[in-house]
Amino acid sequence: SLESKRNNLKEVDRLFEYIYKLLNNKESENYRFQTILLSFFIDYQFNLNASEKAYHVALKRSQILFDMYGGISDEYIKSLWDQYDASFVYNQEKAKVIIDSICDIQEKITGKNHHDYFTALNSKIETYIAIGDYNNALKYSNELMDLSNGTRYHILYKQQQVTILHDLGKYEEAIKKQKEIVVYYISINN
């Protein structure tokens, strides 16, 4: 922290590398401490725009949390989000595989009718958009629209769907949905 405040990035990097080597020590049993340090290390790598390095640290953290809590746990899924965020920057195909796993695990933890599942599915849609797979993005968008119907999130997801429809060249359908959004906003302002 002190070296970071001094903006001495080389020393911070050296210290983190040293800590990271200590964490690789197989005799170390303090997993909780390891996961906290790895979390700081991930954030630090993001600050350096070192997404690939952050991904590998997040992967190590996920392995530790998997060993501690199992694959169907909130702790483990949070570590997958770190992997997803890091990989999305440098390898969106890898991010797609990770977000698919996050959705599967989140469904097992909370079920589909939960905001955390909505968030995961929305990120899945964004990933498919980023890789240019608009047909699957629309498929998952339709699922999200059905699940979120009647919730406060529905209108936000509808706007995303308008963008997907537009990118697919389905202009009439996009216009129809955009009109529904306008009508909704008019109705809540009156």
Side-chain angles (χ1 to χ4, degrees):
S1 284
L2 181 61
E3 295 300 340
S4 204
K5 288 175 186 171
R6 291 179 180 163
N7 205 23
N8 187 356
L9 297 182
K10 284 186 180 183
E11 182 62 14
V12 173
D13 200 34
R14 188 192 70 72
L15 289 168
F16 268 118
E17 289 295 333
Y18 176 71
I19 291 169
Y20 192 60
K21 285 177 187 171
L22 289 176
L23 294 178
N24 280 327
N25 181 353
K26 298 292 182 203
E27 297 171 12
S28 176
E29 295 297 326
N30 194 339
Y31 291 126
R32 170 79 60 197
F33 181 66
Q34 287 184 11
T35 61
I36 291 168
L37 286 175
L38 288 171
S39 182
F40 286 133
F41 195 64
I42 293 165
D43 291 342
Y44 173 70
Q45 294 304 321
F46 272 127
N47 289 338
L48 292 179
N49 292 322
S51 298
E52 188 169 0
K53 197 169 191 179
Y55 166 77
H56 290 292
V57 176
L59 182 61
K60 178 172 180 54
R61 185 169 180 265
S62 289
Q63 291 165 343
I64 293 169
L65 289 169
F66 182 88
D67 291 343
M68 288 173 67
Y69 299 105
I72 310 298
S73 66
D74 287 328
E75 292 81 3
Y76 178 65
I77 204 167
K78 288 174 191 170
S79 71
L80 289 178
W81 278 109
D82 285 338
Q83 285 183 49
Y84 170 76
D85 290 340
S87 63
F88 191 85
V89 174
Y90 82 96
N91 186 334
Q92 291 170 340
E93 285 296 327
K94 188 177 287 195
K96 181 175 93 56
V97 172
I98 295 167
I99 196 63
D100 287 344
S101 295
I102 289 171
C103 284
D104 292 342
I105 295 168
Q106 191 64 58
E107 180 182 356
K108 290 174 184 165
I109 293 173
T110 61
K112 286 188 171 187
N113 291 316
H114 191 276
H115 178 261
D116 290 343
Y117 182 76
F118 295 173
T119 300
L121 190 56
N122 189 51
S123 292
K124 185 174 188 170
I125 295 164
E126 290 172 358
T127 304
Y128 278 88
I129 290 170
I131 62 174
D133 186 348
Y134 295 102
N135 288 318
N136 274 320
L138 182 59
K139 174 181 132 184
Y140 294 118
S141 179
N142 286 331
E143 179 184 349
L144 186 55
M145 293 299 296
D146 290 342
L147 291 171
S148 67
N149 195 17
T151 70
R152 62 189 172 128
Y153 309 107
H154 186 74
I155 200 72
L156 298 172
Y157 300 141
K158 188 177 279 196
Q159 183 61 53
Q160 180 187 53
Q161 192 171 57
V162 168
T163 302
I164 296 167
L165 289 167
H166 182 271
D167 290 344
L168 280 169
K170 298 182 177 190
Y171 303 117
E172 294 299 320
E173 198 174 342
I175 291 168
K176 179 183 173 197
K177 295 233 182 238
Q178 189 66 53
K179 286 179 181 178
E180 291 171 7
I181 293 169
V182 171
V183 168
Y184 169 79
Y185 281 118
I186 290 171
S187 72
I188 63 170
N189 289 322
N190 286 334

